[in-house]
Amino acid sequence: MKLPKIQDADLRGKIVLIRVDHNVVKKGRIKDPYRIDASLDTIQYVISKGGKPILMTHVGRPRNKKTGEIDISDKTSVKPIIEYLKKKTGLIFLTPDEVDFQNHEIDNLLKDLKSNEISGIYLPNVRWFEGEESGGEKTRMFGNELANLADVFVNDAFGSWQPHASTIEPTKYLPSYAGILMQKEIENLSKVLNPQRPLVAVIAGSKFDTKIGTLTSFLKMADYLVLGGVIYNAYLCAKYGFKISGITDEDLKAAQEFLKFSDTFSDKILELPFIIESDVLEEKIAEKFRIRNIIEIKPGTKLNFILDVSTKSFELKKVKDIFHDARTIFVNAVMGFTPNFYEGTFSLNSLIDQNKNANKLFGGGDTLQEFKTLLPGIYNLALKDEKYYFFTGGGTILKAVKEGTAFGLEPVKALMRERIL
Ligand code: 3PG
Ligand code: MG
């Protein structure tokens, strides 16, 4: 089974429908354009080969899960992305006003695209169309309408692992290829799945149960696993019998299950003993927080909020040695409760940067955002450093790690399915 690549496609004069993951608009504004920048290679490649691009992405989650109603508003529009593309690259993309392709508007845009009057078309947020997520006949029909607009389909949206109309259906009708970013992400993912050892994985998060599959996978696969955030708190409760404010029964239960599983691998979990206890969530106030050492806390002790890992943890020789000796480091983690509790993440990322030999791979929107906010100097250097890689997909990476392969992801499988065209 081989992944069909955009480099193998004949694009000259073709209309190329490209699924990107430009899910970077929050409340109508672009928070971090990293994902757009990461997709420029593919867009420019298509144009350089004489192809005419139609872009599409999802933005946010405009569909109300309970009522099924879709909120079509500026909050989840692709317009800020179009403006950004113009400013950054000079390319002019036009978007239809109608959220519907059964009208003359799209025909006119296609005419302008074919005669090179515009650089490309940018379709409205795909989640504004019912068929995108509904499944069934509506999804099939929407997918068919999308495919009817183009000659070739390219999926470059590695971050969008969900099997929705825009990530799956066009592959049923059009010659379909993986974009350059998609290829790059899969290659870098294999550096995590087939790592140079030792591999250290750092995983944090606000809910234990959503990450348990990934954590157990890493426990088997990695040489060391470091935990942070609520996940670490729940683990500490399960392992040492602490009672930590804010840890739900659900988290505790998941952590207990994980602990049972981790028994045979327990020396792989690198515990960070110095943690920060705070009496208040909202602020870091001098008299209201303190460093605690888990080794000195008695089982059954009630603790207030644990909101960060102390810098002191990262100064321990054992911890430093493990990070210095690693050859692969994967991070999907913000260690503290943002924005006030950041010393854990700052110390973690600083320590990792000292290791110049390791492949350092970071994934997850919050992980990248916090890195950029706290350590902009290192972040900017890292963008140009081939030992670093920043994944555009966070959830996708965790899912692929859980499954042990990128080739189980539905949109990737759809690209590889053999079909008679
Ligand atoms: C993301 O930002 O995590 C991806 O674009 C996927 O978005 P989703 O979780 O809403 O499907
Ligand atoms: Mg997400």
Side-chain angles (χ1 to χ4, degrees), residues 23 35 61 159 161 365 394-395:
N23 183 22
R35 284 182 178 192
R61 295 178 178 170
W161 59 267

Side-chain angles (χ1 to χ4, degrees), residues 228-396:
V230 169
I231 288 179
Y232 189 38
N233 291 347
Y235 165 87
L236 292 176
C237 291
K239 175 142 185 211
Y240 295 109
F242 305 155
K243 295 187 174 59
I244 298 177
S245 294
I247 298 305
T248 63
D249 289 345
E250 261 179 341
D251 286 326
L252 182 59
K253 248 183 139 175
Q256 282 161 340
E257 220 172 280
F258 173 70
L259 207 63
K260 255 190 257 158
F261 174 84
S262 70
D263 224 23
T264 36
F265 305 99
S266 60
D267 46 348
K268 284 189 176 182
I269 300 178
L270 175 63
E271 292 177 4
L272 302 168
F274 297 101
I275 52 180
I276 295 180
E277 180 188 32
S278 173
D279 306 334
V280 285
L281 266 178
E282 302 75 25
E283 276 177 280
K284 192 170 177 180
I285 303 170
E287 322 77 70
K288 297 202 168 166
F289 80 89
R290 60 209 67 85
I291 298 172
R292 304 286 304 253
N293 181 352
I294 58 172
I295 292 158
E296 290 167 1
I297 305 171
K298 289 202 184 74
T301 303
K302 262 189 83 144
L303 296 165
N304 267 330
F305 302 107
I306 300 296
L307 298 184
D308 207 351
V309 171
S310 163
T311 296
K312 279 179 81 174
S313 283
F314 297 96
E315 288 164 352
L316 296 168
K317 180 166 186 317
K318 180 180 176 192
V319 174
K320 276 166 66 177
D321 285 350
I322 284 172
F323 277 96
H324 284 159
D325 295 343
R327 283 298 165 272
T328 307
I329 304 173
F330 173 76
V331 182
N332 177 277
V334 174
M335 302 306 280
F337 186 65
T338 57
N340 299 313
F341 292 84
Y342 50 76
E343 69 173 77
T345 308
F346 186 93
S347 305
L348 169 76
N349 291 356
S350 306
L351 176 59
I352 290 173
D353 188 63
Q354 289 169 14
N355 184 336
K356 302 298 175 197
N357 299 316
N359 286 318
K360 299 174 277 282
L361 305 109
F362 288 72
D366 295 339
T367 303
L368 299 190
Q369 187 61 45
E370 194 69 351
F371 193 155
K372 192 176 165 190
T373 307
L374 295 178
L375 302 130
I378 292 183
Y379 179 85
N380 284 332
L381 278 175
L383 284 176
K384 290 179 235 133
D385 181 341
E386 58 176 31
K387 286 287 179 187
Y388 272 96
Y389 189 73
F390 296 131
F391 290 106
T392 59
T396 311

